[in-house]
Amino acid sequence: MDNHSAMPLPTMMPSASLQSLNTLAVPATAAFLARVSSVEQLRAVLAWRKQEAGQGDPLPIMALGGGSNVVLAADFPGLVLQIDIQGRDIIAEDDDYVWLKVGAGENWHQLVEFCMNFHYWGLENLALIPGSVGAAPIQNIGAYGVELCDYFSELSAVEIKSGLSVNFDKTACRFGYRDSIFKQQMKDRYIITSVTFKLRKEPAVVCEYPALKQFFEQQSEEGLEYGVEPPSPHRVFDAVCSIRQSKLPDPDVIPNVGSFFKNPVVTQEQYQNLQQQHEGLVGYPVENGQIKLAAGWLIDQAGWRGYQQNSVGVHKDQALVLVNPGHASGAEILLLAKKIQDDIKAKFGVVLEVEPRIYQ
Ligand code: EPU
């Protein structure tokens, strides 16, 4: 069995600021903060927490990766663990695939670049998504026609209660649109320590997403040869980077957490009703004959794009992104989100669900 006392306990910082650790730049604090760079350290911290609690309730835990999908609406009265576990290892390969095991603390975009350099294909559409590898499965990150689950093999996680490691395969993760078991039944029960990807040795580019298609069509009008052959994964990667940079604010420059709301899914009937009332309504068919509406379009049509209220606002080029240039509190951001939700409900009869994790 594990001998917790022999493991290195990382430094515990009391009353630590989390402002530089969340991409919304919200000025919240944590009762304790520790940076964890190995599974052993993680177990040591969890054992310390148990010991400190004695017979009482242990401190609540927040695992932070890049802090790019959280809204800290209050100071956190517990222990924040900055997961900094590194490592990229090929653990298996066959003629068609490589299985790459990656530490949860690795930066997502750097992983995508690494895969491009070594010709492990599949993740190119997910370029420039802020955040860490360990956070990516929790919300099944997705962009431009690809989702993490398309190239996912399994993950390792440590159970908070027992300190034991458990593996979750793809089925066990119950991936959905911006969803997984770690947002549902297993919420706050595990800390992800590594993710194993199953990547292709031969490229299979995905470039049917409207914005991507449009980008390549425009390039071909400008004399580039898209249309003759599918673009290379490198060109898809460059295109995704270029589209993202033109529409989405860089969190290092303008604090944000990407899309603030999920795209709502409605029935065919609701969609047709809305279409009759709102010309140009944007929606894409998804499973069970339902339609996923572009929340950005709804918010934009309702007049919110570019809106600014004190220190918070709605991005000028993408209405799905709330921005926090004045480093306002999480509560202030949620207030604006609520106004937008109420307005969209009133104008379109559609409920917008907040996408990032809220701590309050
Ligand atoms: N649109 C507008 N006005 C806006 C924003 C969007 O009219 O202000 C329209 C666009 O013209 C387009 C449609 O809405 O016709 C969809 O816009 P876009 O392609 O930019 O994608 P999205 O649905 O707004 C989703 C993801 C993004 C991801 C992009 C590309 C969600 C919640 N968001 O955004 O993910 O990058 O598709 O695949 O699914 C994130 O999760 O943080 C994120 C940025």
Side-chain angles (χ1 to χ4, degrees):
M1 266 316 279
D2 300 326
N3 177 4
H4 295 308
S5 58
M7 290 168 185
L9 191 66
T11 311
M12 298 283 168
M13 287 181 5
S15 309
S17 168
L18 300 175
Q19 190 158 26
S20 64
L21 304 181
N22 74 98
T23 64
L24 262 177
V26 160
T29 62
F32 292 97
L33 171 69
R35 181 192 286 257
V36 168
S37 47
S38 68
V39 175
E40 290 71 29
Q41 273 196 341
L42 175 57
R43 290 212 182 93
V45 174
L46 296 176
W48 170 86
R49 165 183 175 260
K50 217 179 205 171
Q51 206 173 7
E52 284 291 299
Q55 297 304 311
D57 288 338
L59 288 169
I61 287 210
M62 179 198 303
L64 260 194
S68 56
N69 205 43
V70 290
V71 182
L72 306 174
D75 290 334
F76 188 68
L79 171 58
V80 171
L81 300 178
Q82 225 191 325
I83 305 300
D84 192 26
I85 302 170
Q86 303 292 309
R88 299 167 188 157
D89 299 294
I90 302 267
I91 55 164
E93 65 182 297
D94 64 15
D95 289 347
D96 302 317
Y97 296 100
V98 290
W99 281 260
L100 180 67
K101 184 174 178 180
V102 187
E106 292 272 348
N107 173 273
W108 176 265
H109 180 68
Q110 281 169 13
L111 168 69
V112 177
E113 281 183 322
F114 169 87
C115 292
M116 299 292 295
N117 291 339
F118 283 87
H119 294 192
Y120 308 145
W121 307 120
L123 303 182
E124 45 277 3
N125 296 48
L126 305 179
L128 277 189
I129 296 183
S132 68
V133 167
I138 298 175
Q139 49 148 340
N140 185 23
I141 57 169
Y144 304 101
V146 172
E147 286 183 326
L148 168 124
C149 65
D150 300 333
Y151 293 95
F152 176 91
S153 173
E154 63 168 14
L155 62 78
S156 295
V158 167
E159 192 189 18
I160 292 176
K161 204 166 153 189
S162 66
L164 297 175
S165 286
V166 185
N167 283 359
F168 288 79
D169 65 14
K170 195 163 158 174
T171 312
C173 289
R174 305 224 190 125
F175 289 121
Y177 165 58
R178 293 293 189 280
D179 199 24
S180 77
I181 198 160
F182 303 103
K183 279 177 102 171
Q184 306 292 339
Q185 297 94 317
M186 299 299 175
K187 189 175 174 186
D188 292 334
R189 286 186 52 187
Y190 289 90
I191 293 177
I192 295 170
T193 52
S194 71
V195 181
T196 302
F197 298 90
K198 183 183 173 186
L199 302 165
R200 290 175 186 276
K201 287 186 170 176
E202 285 298 319
V205 295
V206 176
C207 46
E208 292 311 304
Y209 189 87
L212 204 50
K213 216 169 157 183
Q214 205 184 340
F215 182 91
F216 284 121
E217 277 163 7
Q218 230 160 10
Q219 281 205 332
S220 93
E221 276 164 27
E222 288 161 14
L224 297 160
E225 78 287 6
Y226 172 70
V228 183
E229 284 186 14
S232 69
H234 282 282
R235 284 191 58 201
V236 173
F237 172 89
D238 289 343
V240 167
C241 290
S242 171
I243 298 168
R244 286 190 78 98
Q245 279 160 344
S246 72
K247 277 196 194 163
L248 294 168
D250 177 350
D252 287 337
V253 182
I254 307 173
N256 75 88
V257 282
S259 301
F260 205 90
F261 304 101
K262 283 168 76 160
N263 283 329
V265 175
V266 298
T267 61
Q268 189 59 251
E269 193 190 346
Q270 254 180 305
Y271 175 67
Q272 278 162 4
N273 286 341
L274 280 168
Q275 231 182 356
Q276 275 165 15
Q277 297 162 44
H278 307 281
E279 206 192 317
L281 180 76
V282 183
Y284 311 96
V286 287
E287 55 281 353
N288 310 326
Q290 294 186 304
I291 309 288
K292 193 192 270 179
L293 297 178
W297 187 90
L298 300 174
I299 301 168
D300 189 354
Q301 288 295 304
W304 290 98
R305 186 157 56 81
Y307 175 87
Q308 192 74 29
Q309 176 198 37
N310 304 325
S311 316
V312 297
V314 179
H315 188 54
K316 64 177 179 37
D317 299 322
Q318 167 49 292
L320 202 46
V321 178
L322 301 193
V323 291
N324 189 20
H327 299 187
S329 69
E332 230 176 295
I333 294 158
L334 291 183
L335 222 57
L336 172 61
K338 175 83 171 61
K339 279 191 191 172
I340 295 172
Q341 283 170 314
D342 290 348
D343 192 39
I344 298 304
K345 180 83 178 79
K347 290 194 169 114
F348 301 97
V350 172
V351 174
L352 291 185
E353 195 187 320
V354 170
E355 203 278 314
R357 170 81 192 264
I358 296 171
Y359 286 93
Q360 51 195 356

